[in-house]
Amino acid sequence: MAGFQPKKEAIISAGIDIGTSTTKIIISRFSLMNVAGSTHVPRIEIVDKEILYKSPIFRTPLQDATTIDIKGVELIIRSQYEDAGIQSSDIETGAVIITGETATKQNAREIVHYLSREVGDFLVAAAGPDLEGIIAAKGSGTYDYALKTGRVTANIDIGGGTANIAVYKRDKLLGTCTMHVGGRLIEFKDSTVMSISPPIEQLLKQENKSLRLGDTNRHPDIKFIADFMADSITRVLAKEVKAEDEVLLLGHKPNWNEPVEAIMFSGGISECMYEQEITRPSDISYNDIGKQLAASLQSNRRLTEWDWIEPEETVRATVLGAGTQTTEISGATIQVAPDELPVKNVPVYKYSFHGHLEKGLAALGQSIKEAINIYDSFQEGQNFVLYLADLPYVGFKDIQKLARAILQVMELRHDPEQPILLVMQMDYAKVLGQTLLAMNARQSVICIDQINVDHGDYMDIGRALQSEVVPVIVKTLTFHSS
Amino acid sequence: MNEQLIQTITKLVVEKLKSNEVSQPSAGTADVQIKLHSKQATGALTELPPPENPNGKVTFHQTTSAKPEKKSAVHPQPAEKTISKQEEFIEELKKKTPSRIGVGRAGSRPKTNTWLQFRLDHAAAVDAVYGEVPDKILHQLDLFQVQTRVKDKEEYIRRPDLGRKLSDEAKELIKKRCAFSPSVQIVTSNGLSAKAIEENLEDVYLSLVQSLGNLGIETGTPFYVDKGRVALMDEIGDVLQPDVVVMLIGERPGLVSAESLSAYLCYQPRIGTIEADRMVVSNIHKGGIPPVEAGAYLGTLIQKILKYEASGVSLVKKEG
């Protein structure tokens, strides 16, 4: 077949990372192509990702210590769209993520919703600390490195407010951990200490240190704190967390079960170590303990026990991950009602058949009632995605039974008129969708497969593309509660 | 010897080998699953780790006159860790293919397990060719049966050309019983695997009919051809003048699966249609494309063929 070029489709993706200290944007283009042989059912995959535009690194605009300046963020985004030469309507997928301490700001949730409406009709992922670490690991090159070498590799993304650790072995995520370790936890002004964040205050007290606001930035306690953070990271990596480290842990303890072999640093602190950026951030003097922290990490003896791998991206790892790694493509044989898309921020309820259709169907109603109680406790009609997992191999008549059961249980919802949202673990989405239609379901049906989701995730489903697939973003967690 | 008997014995041996292994603590190799192999091979075969001190340890001798070199101190010393890494790597690779990779060997031959499994799969493939489609299935789906010009299986295999032509009675019968010039004519045939039809036809067919129904595409009167070949659709096209023929036919069995079904599609097939205008969705079976999903997909594929009034390479060109 000389000259035969498989058809490609391109979509534009935006990644926006609003971090504790910096905000950055990247615009990229994904090429989608059918990678299955011509005699197979099509399988559409992202075959190429090209970065079209990288923004400079901006300081995150804040109104005050607890509020993000929405207008300021929007202004940055709009100016960057202009520089990149794209319209907000061009953007078909992508993620805004609010990371680090910024995610705990009062109006974080408000911001993502506002931005998703105003600056592009794209999908939004508001990351929680675990997802943040995963996204950074994918953006920094840790994921690729672990995949290629098979070594247990930890990515340590340290920004202004938090350090997000994600450990990979090949393509398997072994675990995550998040710590209160970051450059901005102690800030200076005119070479005196201007602010100390609450976890550090606690740490100072615990270690009987006297550092206070107004002290000089050459106070010995500052080096102590930075060294302590570096030691603490070392203990977390080795899974030897001690009682004194707990003040720095945000959420759960390290949960990987294999010893880490190699480490990679990303984030703003990593930039202080590797200085990859050609054009320095316009406002380089962040005036905080970032530099000291980088120095402490670099001189930490025990950290040299691991192989240090230089990251492909330092300070931009998270935004790169957000822009290029959060979008998944559904299977090509799906059934969607185009008018109902996009669907945003719906929770996922996983229902496992444990390999038994009949038993599974019998208990389905009860579980759906539970799901409704969890997700729609205020009876406002909050819809949810039903994720059908561990189905046995099924024939056509089984699919009919399944469809009938689904129609029945979906009536239990407080607002039964809402579309039926289904994700299948196995490749049955099209036939189940068609069967629901053939049974004259009164609701619209969105039934997709080949997406990795789990119980408690939130999902965004984008508009159907020409290739008859939909882009999907799965959010492992939303906002942290702290 | 009785074929049935051979198969039974082989099965017994395989099962025996397996049950031995289950009782043995064989670390790490327990979850190697050979998922796609034909149904006869029940479950996973596991491999024994080599015993610590094998009795029949193979040693190599120098047969030339040259003095044997002194055993050097350089032993390949793969640390514990690297071995397990390698094994892990092989496991990863095994998950990605149904092929028989990483099965080990005994001297220059495959291990007994591997060999028996191979024989079993081969036997299943042969059975699939020589098997017959149970009447019950055709009856359930309300398919009447016609013959090609082939007399028996031997002739079917030796003379592909005869499998591409309808017998005179068959022509008369379909002229009489089938709707003339429908949008879609569904034809089914055992082809080279009766097993494929037995296992998958019902699901593919029902799902396809539902899909076409949803799309509002009219279908003709379906039927079953015994011992047909793909290009038989040309003659059927000539007689019934449909816009699209979709032929569900058993694939030539392989060692991965003996029950794989293919759907061949063609826009207005007539005698003289060139092969490039045919298209196929293959690998429809439990371990491949699930039959129910394949049927659902075929419906939308047929919709596309009707829209562009083309199939195969012509369709790709028109679609642009």
Side-chain angles (χ1 to χ4, degrees):
Chain A
M1 287 221 238
F4 176 71
Q5 278 289 320
K7 247 200 328 187
K8 279 194 187 176
E9 180 178 4
I11 56 173
I12 305 271
S13 164
I16 302 172
D17 171 18
I18 304 170
T20 312
S21 14
T22 60
T23 292
K24 47 256 160 188
I25 297 168
I26 68 159
I27 310 285
S28 44
R29 177 165 50 211
F30 300 164
S31 300
L32 274 61
M33 203 177 78
N34 178 10
V35 295
S38 57
T39 68
H40 290 81
V41 168
R43 193 171 72 242
I44 310 292
E45 279 180 11
I46 298 173
V47 290
D48 189 35
K49 291 172 184 173
E50 183 193 354
I51 310 280
L52 299 177
Y53 180 78
K54 285 185 185 181
S55 79
I57 291 165
F58 295 94
R59 199 136 186 184
T60 300
L62 295 174
Q63 257 169 26
D64 52 58
T66 55
T67 336
I68 308 164
D69 174 6
I70 298 192
K71 282 284 160 207
V73 171
E74 190 185 349
L75 221 64
I76 291 178
I77 296 171
R78 291 205 185 279
S79 75
Q80 291 313 299
Y81 281 3
E82 205 165 298
D83 288 1
I86 57 152
Q87 308 285 324
S88 50
S89 57
D90 296 340
I91 294 166
E92 284 170 282
T93 186
V96 184
I97 73 171
I98 299 200
T99 57
E101 295 233 301
T102 323
T104 62
K105 302 281 189 242
Q106 285 176 359
N107 56 349
R109 187 181 292 264
E110 196 186 320
I111 278 214
V112 282
H113 290 301
Y114 177 79
L115 291 179
S116 77
R117 276 198 316 272
E118 291 299 317
V119 298
D121 192 19
F122 55 99
L123 309 160
V124 180
D130 290 336
L131 184 58
E132 224 175 286
I134 293 167
I135 288 175
K138 288 184 172 170
S140 70
T142 296
Y143 176 83
D144 290 341
Y145 179 82
L147 184 66
K148 207 168 65 191
T149 61
R151 304 178 81 191
V152 178
T153 313
N155 191 66
I156 305 144
D157 188 87
I158 313 177
T162 55
N164 300 86
I165 303 174
V167 181
Y168 272 96
K169 177 181 186 180
R170 293 202 193 286
D171 53 353
K172 245 189 272 144
L173 176 71
L174 297 184
T176 58
C177 188
T178 305
M179 302 169 73
H180 289 291
V181 169
R184 270 200 137 198
L185 297 180
I186 299 178
E187 285 178 277
F188 309 126
K189 191 180 183 187
D190 306 331
S191 46
T192 57
V193 176
M194 183 185 78
S195 75
I196 300 173
S197 78
I200 302 304
E201 293 266 21
Q202 268 186 335
L203 177 63
L204 285 166
K205 212 161 100 193
Q206 174 185 307
E207 300 295 317
N208 291 319
K209 295 291 169 185
S210 60
L211 187 74
R212 274 174 305 161
L213 298 187
D215 283 351
T216 158
N217 64 358
R218 281 187 296 278
H219 194 284
D221 287 356
I222 289 168
K223 184 168 183 322
F224 172 83
I225 290 292
D227 286 345
F228 188 94
M229 285 175 170
D231 284 338
S232 199
I233 286 180
T234 310
R235 288 191 287 268
V236 164
L237 286 172
K239 289 193 68 180
E240 292 164 7
V241 179
K242 293 185 183 162
E244 69 244 43
D245 296 320
E246 289 190 8
V247 62
L248 291 183
L249 285 185
L250 197 165
H252 60 81
K253 287 188 179 177
N255 54 359
W256 48 89
N257 285 322
E258 288 185 57
V260 171
E261 292 168 278
I263 56 175
M264 207 183 269
F265 284 97
S266 65
I269 300 301
S270 155
E271 176 55 27
C272 294
M273 299 176 184
Y274 295 104
E275 300 188 342
Q276 288 182 345
E277 294 285 318
I278 300 159
T279 49
R280 287 305 187 72
S282 48
D283 184 9
I284 187 67
S285 61
Y286 281 105
N287 235 338
D288 55 31
I289 56 160
K291 282 256 166 207
Q292 177 60 52
L293 180 56
S296 293
L297 288 167
Q298 279 173 309
S299 59
N300 189 298
R301 268 267 184 79
R302 229 192 128 186
L303 273 178
T304 56
E305 284 173 20
W306 291 284
D307 268 356
W308 286 43
I309 313 295
E310 185 166 345
E312 279 155 34
E313 288 286 340
T314 54
V315 65
R316 291 177 204 267
T318 306
V319 72
L320 195 75
T324 63
Q325 306 286 345
T326 51
T327 301
E328 286 186 71
I329 300 294
S330 73
T333 53
I334 56 173
Q335 186 71 39
V336 293
D339 300 341
E340 300 292 345
L341 295 173
V343 174
K344 286 183 190 172
N345 223 32
V346 277
V348 175
Y349 186 84
K350 176 177 175 177
Y351 184 73
S352 171
F353 281 83
H354 299 294
H356 290 282
L357 184 71
E358 297 296 337
K359 276 190 208 163
L361 288 179
L364 182 64
Q366 192 51 42
S367 289
I368 296 302
K369 274 184 205 154
E370 251 166 57
I372 294 165
N373 281 339
I374 297 169
Y375 297 123
D376 198 8
S377 48
F378 300 110
Q379 312 192 357
E380 294 161 323
Q382 164 70 49
N383 206 353
F384 59 91
V385 171
L386 179 58
Y387 173 48
L388 302 172
D390 307 315
L391 269 172
Y393 171 83
V394 292
F396 187 75
K397 284 169 185 159
D398 302 325
I399 290 283
Q400 283 183 317
K401 274 185 210 161
L402 180 59
R404 238 174 264 131
I406 287 170
L407 285 180
Q408 216 172 13
V409 298
M410 286 297 166
E411 291 300 321
L412 298 173
R413 293 179 297 175
H414 294 300
D415 182 1
E417 302 281 320
Q418 285 181 318
I420 297 176
L421 308 176
L422 299 168
V423 174
M424 315 271 302
Q425 190 179 42
M426 294 170 78
D427 189 10
Y428 294 127
K430 198 173 190 93
V431 65
L432 182 61
Q434 286 184 355
T435 307
L436 288 167
L437 293 187
M439 290 179 173
N440 296 318
R442 65 193 182 109
Q443 305 93 334
S444 328
V445 175
I446 292 168
C447 187
I448 63 177
D449 57 23
Q450 289 169 39
I451 294 287
N452 293 314
V453 287
D454 211 341
H455 197 69
D457 289 351
Y458 278 70
M459 265 179 93
D460 293 332
I461 306 171
R463 277 183 227 288
L465 305 174
Q466 268 171 21
S467 329
E468 291 163 26
V469 293
V470 291
V472 173
I473 293 186
V474 178
K475 292 169 274 187
T476 319
L477 267 176
T478 45
F479 293 90
H480 0 155
S481 46
S482 63
Chain B
M1 228 167 125
N2 183 344
E3 276 179 35
Q4 195 77 40
L5 188 65
I6 295 176
Q7 200 185 343
T8 321
I9 292 172
T10 317
K11 226 191 230 173
L12 277 174
V13 174
V14 171
E15 267 158 23
K16 179 81 179 165
L17 276 168
K18 242 182 350 190
S19 64
N20 280 347
E21 279 159 22
V22 172
S23 61
Q24 212 126 10
S26 57
T29 53
D31 53 356
V32 189
Q33 279 196 14
I34 306 165
K35 276 189 196 151
L36 293 176
H37 291 140
S38 56
K39 276 180 72 192
Q40 286 92 328
T42 36
L45 289 178
T46 51
E47 233 177 88
L48 281 174
E52 292 289 303
N53 297 303
N55 291 329
K57 194 171 182 178
V58 179
T59 51
F60 293 92
H61 303 278
Q62 202 84 16
T63 50
T64 56
S65 58
K67 266 189 180 177
E69 276 178 47
K70 273 188 183 174
K71 268 195 182 168
S72 71
V74 189
H75 292 291
Q77 281 183 330
E80 263 303 90
K81 223 174 153 192
T82 41
I83 288 178
S84 75
K85 277 236 159 188
Q86 249 179 22
E87 276 172 1
E88 243 182 64
F89 184 58
I90 290 172
E91 287 313 308
E92 279 297 314
L93 292 180
K94 277 181 166 180
K95 276 185 209 155
K96 293 189 165 73
T97 174
S99 304
R100 278 153 242 253
I101 60 167
V103 290
R105 65 191 169 91
S108 59
R109 291 170 295 122
K111 290 185 175 171
T112 309
N113 268 1
T114 316
W115 178 239
L116 287 177
Q117 180 75 65
F118 182 86
R119 293 286 305 273
L120 199 61
D121 291 338
H122 187 260
V126 173
D127 283 354
V129 175
Y130 286 95
E132 294 296 338
V133 173
D135 285 340
K136 205 180 104 196
I137 290 174
L138 305 180
H139 189 70
Q140 272 169 0
L141 299 177
D142 206 9
L143 301 171
F144 68 92
Q145 183 170 343
V146 298
Q147 301 291 330
T148 58
R149 293 191 177 277
V150 171
K151 280 199 306 288
D152 54 33
K153 286 275 183 193
E154 295 303 329
E155 189 176 57
Y156 175 70
I157 289 162
R158 271 187 289 108
R159 295 286 306 272
D161 58 325
L162 296 183
R164 297 187 191 117
K165 291 196 183 89
L166 290 166
S167 69
D168 294 336
E169 307 82 62
K171 262 194 222 173
E172 284 310 310
L173 197 62
I174 63 170
K175 250 188 224 166
K176 205 170 79 194
R177 293 192 58 174
C178 292
F180 184 72
S181 193
S183 283
V184 179
Q185 175 67 48
I186 302 173
V187 181
T188 62
S189 177
N190 50 356
L192 281 160
S193 172
K195 196 84 186 147
I197 296 291
E198 192 180 336
E199 292 293 325
N200 308 310
L201 181 64
E202 178 185 284
D203 293 330
V204 180
Y205 177 79
L206 292 177
S207 171
L208 170 61
V209 169
Q210 169 178 280
S211 178
L212 292 171
N214 277 5
L215 296 166
I217 296 168
E218 161 227 7
T219 54
T221 319
F223 57 93
Y224 171 81
V225 187
D226 184 39
K227 304 187 190 70
R229 297 265 175 186
V230 173
L232 181 70
M233 64 164 71
D234 297 354
E235 197 173 19
I236 294 169
D238 246 24
V239 176
L240 295 177
Q241 303 279 316
D243 280 339
V244 175
V245 170
V246 48
M247 187 157 187
L248 305 172
I249 188 166
E251 275 176 30
R252 173 174 304 133
L255 289 167
V256 170
S257 171
E259 51 186 57
S260 183
L261 187 81
S262 279
Y264 282 84
L265 302 112
C266 189
Y267 181 71
Q268 296 190 344
R270 304 291 182 258
I271 287 172
T273 290
I274 58 169
E275 293 303 319
D277 280 338
R278 273 190 249 286
M279 56 205 287
V280 64
V281 174
S282 67
N283 205 29
I284 303 170
H285 60 101
K286 283 195 187 80
I289 304 164
V292 280
E293 189 73 351
Y297 169 65
L298 285 172
T300 47
L301 192 57
I302 289 169
Q303 186 186 34
K304 196 150 100 184
I305 293 172
L306 285 168
K307 179 180 158 199
Y308 287 100
E309 301 185 338
S311 55
V313 174
S314 315
L315 176 65
V316 175
K317 277 188 189 156
K318 277 198 181 174
E319 242 189 315

